[in-house]
Amino acid sequence: SAVSKNPEVPFCSEAYRISAASRGKELRLTLAPLGPGEPQHLVFLFGMSGSFRLCPAAQLPRHAHLRFLTRESPQRALCFLDTRRFGSWRLGDAWQPDRGPCVLSEYQAFRENVLKNLEDKAFDKPICEALVNQKFFNGIGNYLRAEILYRSKIPPFEKARTVLEALKDQEQNPSLTLSKKLKWMQENPDLLELCHTVPMEVISAEKKLFDPADSGNYAALKSWLQCYLVPGMNSLRDHNGRTIWFQGEPGPMAPKGKASPKKRVRPKADPEAPTPKVTSRASKRQPQAAAKPPELGEEEEEEEEEEEEEVAEGPRKGRARRRRKATIAPALPEPEVPLKARRSRRATAGRGRGEAGSP
C-alpha cells in the first residue's frame, strides 16, 4: 500500500504458490513461480496487530499493506493487515540473527540455549522480563509469560538466574533417582517445558483462539486464560513498562511505584430504592447534581480520572474557584434595599462581632 514504509517486493509472476514457515515470532513466506523464475522470500514480524486474511479482492479491508491476488474468478486477495503499523517485512529468507531457537519447533535447542547461557546479563533481571527476551525465549510474549509463571507458581519478580539454576542443578544431579525426579517435577513444574507446552495448547486448540476472521474467537481465548486479564489477579508494570499479571506476592525484584492503573467500577443504582431528599446547602447550590450522569466508556473514564488527578494536584484555592464556577447557578438580581436599612444592618453586624457600631 502507499502508506507502508516497508520495502517493495520485486516479484512478478503470472502464477505462483505461497508457502509459509514460522520460527518464534517470525513468519517466512516463499513465493514460488509455477513457471520459470526464482522464488522470492519474505520474513514478517507481526508487531501487536499484524495478521493475514483471505478476502474478496473487490472488498479489501483497511490497513491491507501487502496483497497477493488469486487467479480465480471472482478474485480474492491474501492480505497482510496491520492496523497499528508495528509489523514489518523484509526481503530474503534469513531469520533475525539475534533470536534464539523457537520454543515450539526447536524445543531441545531452546532449552540448551537457556541453560548453557545462565551467566548472561539477561538473567540478572526478573524472570518475567527475561521471558520476553527473544534471544533466549523466541516466541514468548506478554500473555504467555503470565500463563507460564502462573502455572509454575513462580513469583514474576524472582531473579531469573535463581529460578533457572534450580532446573539446571536438578538435571545434573546424579544422586536423584527417576522417581525422585518425577516427584520433584510434580512439585516444581518445569518452567522451560511450560514455555513449550503452553503455546502448544494455543495453536492446537480445537477452537482457533487467534483466528481474526472469527468474531467469536475472543470468547474462546478468555475461557482458556487462567491468569492474564483474569479478574482477581494482581498486576504490576515491569521495569520495561509492560503489565504482568500474577497471583500472590510479586517477588523481591518488584519495581516500586509502578502499579497498574485500576479501572474504576461505578456502582449500579437500584431502580427500586427510594430517591433521597436533598436538603443540604451544597445541593441547593448544585441543582444539576441530582440528575444521573450518562454512563462513560472505558476510555472516557480513564480520561476523567486523569483530569481529576490533575485537579487534585493543583492549589486548593484554585480548585474551589473552578468548582464554584462550574456549579453555581447564575445569581438572581437582588431587590433594592433602602439606604437607611442597609446602614442599620451593617451596624448590627459590627456589634455582633464585638466591634464598635456606627453612631
Side-chain angles (χ1 to χ4, degrees):
S1 69
V3 298
S4 176
K5 296 181 180 180
N6 288 293
E8 295 284 343
V9 182
F11 178 78
C12 184
S13 178
E14 291 187 0
Y16 58 96
R17 179 174 287 108
I18 299 179
S19 58
S22 64
R23 184 176 186 266
K25 289 193 172 186
E26 296 179 282
L27 180 75
R28 181 171 62 207
L29 293 189
T30 299
L31 316 180
L34 299 182
E38 294 296 321
Q40 174 69 61
H41 301 282
L42 302 169
V43 177
F44 288 79
L45 285 173
F46 289 86
M48 294 183 69
S49 61
S51 65
F52 278 94
R53 186 183 304 175
L54 186 63
C55 56
Q59 301 173 7
L60 292 178
R62 294 184 63 190
H63 310 291
H65 297 304
L66 193 61
R67 303 176 286 273
F68 306 95
L69 301 178
T70 66
R71 296 188 69 188
E72 62 191 339
S73 182
Q75 203 171 41
R76 291 186 294 172
L78 177 65
C79 303
F80 176 65
L81 306 180
D82 188 15
T83 305
R84 304 182 70 175
R85 301 189 202 174
F86 292 161
S88 63
W89 66 80
R90 61 186 184 278
L91 305 178
D93 61 351
W95 305 112
Q96 284 187 336
D98 57 346
R99 290 178 178 260
C102 177
V103 297
L104 284 172
S105 60
E106 303 167 299
Y107 171 64
Q108 287 302 327
F110 148 71
R111 188 180 184 94
E112 293 171 6
N113 183 49
V114 171
L115 294 180
K116 76 179 182 182
N117 289 294
L118 291 182
E119 297 303 318
D120 193 282
K121 62 181 181 180
F123 299 105
D124 293 335
K125 297 182 178 182
I127 185 62
C128 66
E129 296 175 19
L131 278 174
V132 289
N133 186 331
Q134 302 301 295
K135 181 179 178 181
F136 297 103
F137 296 89
N138 187 11
I140 302 300
N142 204 29
Y143 85 98
L144 284 173
R145 68 170 177 172
E147 297 298 315
I148 291 166
L149 291 173
Y150 172 77
R151 298 192 192 189
S152 63
K153 303 175 183 177
I154 295 173
F157 292 96
E158 187 67 60
K159 191 173 183 178
R161 187 176 292 109
T162 302
V163 173
L164 296 167
E165 279 181 344
L167 285 178
K168 187 175 182 180
D169 294 341
Q170 188 267 339
E171 280 192 354
Q172 297 176 351
N173 190 347
S175 64
L176 288 178
T177 62
L178 180 59
S179 60
K180 288 183 178 180
K181 285 185 177 181
L182 291 174
K183 183 180 179 181
W184 190 90
M185 290 177 64
Q186 289 175 353
E187 296 175 353
N188 304 274
D190 189 322
L191 178 73
L192 297 180
E193 188 173 345
L194 288 172
C195 289
H196 172 73
T197 57
V198 173
M200 282 296 294
E201 289 181 15
V202 178
I203 65 172
S204 60
E206 182 178 350
K207 174 74 174 178
K208 293 182 182 294
L209 300 183
F210 288 106
D211 182 2
D214 186 352
S215 59
N217 67 336
Y218 183 59
L221 173 64
K222 285 185 68 176
S223 65
W224 176 83
L225 293 170
Q226 299 180 31
C227 179
Y228 183 73
L229 295 177
V230 173
M233 294 294 167
N234 299 323
S235 64
L236 275 177
R237 286 198 179 107
D238 64 19
H239 297 91
N240 299 318
R242 302 181 69 181
T243 302
I244 175 68
W245 295 77
F246 61 95
Q247 186 178 51
E249 295 298 321
M253 300 182 71
K256 306 300 181 184
K258 287 198 175 183
S260 295
K262 300 290 184 182
K263 289 183 179 177
R264 188 173 49 186
V265 179
R266 294 177 178 268
K268 293 185 178 180
D270 185 358
E272 298 181 359
T275 304
K277 294 182 178 180
V278 180
T279 57
S280 66
R281 196 175 353 175
S283 64
K284 293 179 182 178
R285 291 199 306 267
Q286 300 177 7
Q288 296 93 340
K292 183 180 177 182
E295 292 294 331
L296 298 179
E298 292 179 358
E299 293 181 359
E300 292 172 316
E301 286 191 359
E302 291 173 0
E303 289 174 1
E304 186 186 45
E305 287 173 0
E306 291 174 1
E307 290 173 0
E308 289 177 355
E309 289 172 2
E310 290 175 1
V311 170
E313 292 172 359
R316 188 176 185 85
K317 183 177 178 181
R319 192 162 69 242
R321 187 188 302 119
R322 285 195 295 272
R323 192 183 300 119
R324 286 199 301 271
K325 184 177 179 181
T327 59
I328 294 177
L332 296 175
E334 294 184 2
E336 286 293 328
V337 180
L339 179 61
K340 184 176 181 180
R342 285 203 297 266
R343 287 178 179 171
S344 175
R345 192 179 304 158
R346 283 199 298 272
T348 304
R351 285 195 295 273
R353 290 194 298 269
E355 300 173 359
S358 299

